Amino acid sequence: MKKRIFIILLLLFANCTSDEQGYQPTELPIEIPEVFSTYLIPPVIPADNPQTVEGVALGRKLFFDKILSADGTQSCASCHSPQNAFAENLPTSIGVDGISGTRNAMPLFNLAWNYGDRFNWDGSALSLERQAEEPVENPIELHSDWNNVVNRLQNHPEYPELFQLAFNTSTITKELTTKALAQFERTLISANSKFDRYTLGQASLTPQELNGLDIFLREDKGDCFHCHGNPNNPLWTNNDFHNNGLDATFTDLGLGAVTGDPNDNGKFRSPSLRNLAYTAPYMHDGRFATLDEVIDHYSEGLQNSPTIDPLMKQIAQGGVQLTAQEKADLKAFLLTLSDPSFLNNLDFQN
């Protein structure tokens, strides 16, 4: 598959070099799933980085290529595996030098619908293109240097031609590299869960799953929907930042370290609840190994602090106090948001 795409791109390159003045990369509009087009406004695509067939193909090759790391041992996919919904099954990622980081690798899907355009757990990246810059030089991640990476790509037997096809220039830059990565990442769309099919009238939920949905939506029960969406917000996140009561004191300030505002201390971006079946462990530091532990936290494990989110209404009682049966029902509903077809989509593989 990969070889065939490369041959096609080479043929396109041969054609374009014979008519360089007229060559334009092939537009590739985002394929919007029916459940998104029904409930969501259109995705965010930067005017200076439109989606193209050639740009997405280049971004996919770069995403899986260890050439971006200092010693050629890791790629973006090392911490964002397709089989984990582009997350990782470790609490925190381990970089090329064997050093463990402090954050859990966030899953990657439906990124084009992050309307606030703030990425990472702490919102430190103000676009998907900028997000792609940071891991390359981070000393506890790929620990490389963009000048070295660009030189390697420029002297590679394939990449100059692929950049020519994607961006009409064979002069490779950091900016074009991150643009290609962002184009690929915007194609990572997950919208074929059991609950999606239920929404479209194509599947049924069990009584337990329906009761779990009720608990999810009720303010006197789970009260989850404020931060994690609802059937009318099928992203299952508001992509906003909250202190959800993990700690009474903070070792990681989260958004507060980015804004410098102490009122933001302990706030992290709400992750989507899609694909929870594949994205354990959970929370920004991967502290919870199972979904049961997450539900227990919101039920009776909340910790108070000066920036606790007002939506944690039952903080005085330590949580929403669900029964064992309510916890089981809520978990059953949450698992209907997982999309196995996303893991096996050949367009997202190396």
Side-chain angles (χ1 to χ4, degrees):
M1 179 72 176
K2 183 172 66 173
K3 183 177 181 182
R4 188 168 71 234
I5 291 174
F6 180 63
I7 291 172
I8 292 172
L9 291 176
L10 285 180
L11 290 173
L12 288 170
F13 178 69
N15 289 335
C16 82
T17 52
S18 65
D19 185 17
E20 290 183 352
Q21 296 301 318
Y23 173 75
Q24 289 295 326
T26 309
E27 292 183 10
L28 183 66
I30 292 283
E31 293 184 16
I32 302 177
E34 182 179 353
V35 72
F36 285 8
S37 64
T38 301
Y39 294 105
L40 302 175
I41 62 176
V44 178
I45 307 296
D48 65 348
N49 192 24
Q51 299 286 117
T52 67
V53 171
E54 298 81 3
V56 170
L58 172 59
R60 182 170 74 167
K61 181 175 176 63
L62 289 164
F63 189 88
F64 290 98
D65 198 331
K66 296 175 181 177
I67 197 171
L68 299 183
S69 64
D71 58 2
T73 61
Q74 290 192 359
S75 67
C76 303
S78 298
C79 300
H80 295 281
S81 166
Q83 293 310 305
N84 297 106
F86 289 88
E88 188 177 33
N89 59 4
L90 295 175
T92 57
S93 299
I94 299 174
V96 298
D97 298 323
I99 302 172
S100 183
T102 59
R103 302 269 177 82
N104 180 252
M106 292 199 84
L108 305 177
F109 49 78
N110 304 337
L111 302 172
W113 283 268
N114 182 348
Y115 302 113
D117 222 17
R118 299 194 74 153
F119 296 90
N120 294 333
W121 283 105
D122 57 9
S124 56
L126 300 182
S127 73
L128 199 49
E129 284 76 6
R130 291 186 184 179
Q131 194 285 325
E133 290 183 12
E134 196 267 347
V136 170
E137 294 193 331
N138 190 319
I140 57 173
E141 296 187 46
L142 301 183
H143 201 183
S144 191
D145 175 275
W146 268 110
N147 290 328
N148 292 337
V149 169
V150 168
N151 285 335
R152 273 187 247 134
L153 293 172
Q154 194 70 66
N155 292 301
H156 191 275
E158 300 174 12
Y159 277 114
E161 296 174 354
L162 296 177
F163 274 82
Q164 177 72 50
L165 287 168
F167 297 111
N168 251 335
T169 176
S170 60
T171 302
I172 298 174
T173 65
K174 174 180 71 174
E175 288 73 22
L176 293 181
T177 303
T178 57
K179 280 186 174 183
L181 286 165
Q183 285 191 40
F184 169 63
E185 290 175 334
R186 289 192 176 97
T187 69
L188 302 176
I189 297 171
S190 175
N192 188 33
S193 67
K194 181 179 181 180
F195 194 85
D196 293 319
R197 296 192 298 279
Y198 167 75
T199 300
L200 297 172
Q202 300 167 357
S204 300
L205 299 187
T206 67
Q208 183 179 36
E209 290 163 348
L210 286 169
N211 193 49
L213 172 61
D214 183 62
I215 293 166
F216 184 92
L217 295 174
R218 283 177 56 175
E219 291 189 298
D220 63 337
K221 290 294 182 180
D223 198 17
C224 314
F225 69 96
H226 294 288
C227 304
H228 287 294
N230 57 67
N232 294 322
N233 171 15
L235 297 176
W236 298 102
T237 174
N238 62 4
N239 277 312
D240 207 347
F241 298 83
H242 303 276
N243 173 358
N244 62 343
L246 288 172
D247 299 299
T249 57
F250 309 122
T251 56
D252 185 341
L253 297 182
L255 179 65
V258 176
T259 65
D261 184 347
N263 293 315
D264 290 332
N265 288 349
K267 295 181 180 179
F268 295 89
R269 188 157 69 92
S270 298
S272 173
L273 299 185
R274 286 182 173 273
N275 296 313
L276 291 173
Y278 321 117
T279 57
Y282 308 100
M283 301 294 167
H284 68 276
D285 52 5
R287 69 177 64 186
F288 296 137
T290 67
L291 195 49
D292 299 282
E293 292 179 23
V294 175
I295 294 172
D296 287 345
H297 164 71
Y298 288 109
S299 179
E300 57 264 350
L302 297 182
Q303 300 293 312
N304 205 352
S305 64
T307 62
I308 187 74
D309 198 291
L311 292 170
M312 301 292 110
K313 301 167 192 167
Q314 304 302 319
I315 184 67
Q317 290 74 44
V320 294
Q321 305 295 318
L322 299 178
T323 67
Q325 186 60 57
E326 288 169 338
K327 290 179 181 179
D329 293 353
L330 178 58
K331 180 181 177 182
F333 158 68
L334 291 173
L335 291 175
T336 70
L337 301 175
S338 290
D339 172 7
S341 68
F342 178 65
L343 307 189
N344 301 312
N345 189 326
L346 295 179
D347 290 338
F348 306 153
Q349 310 298 315
N350 187 8

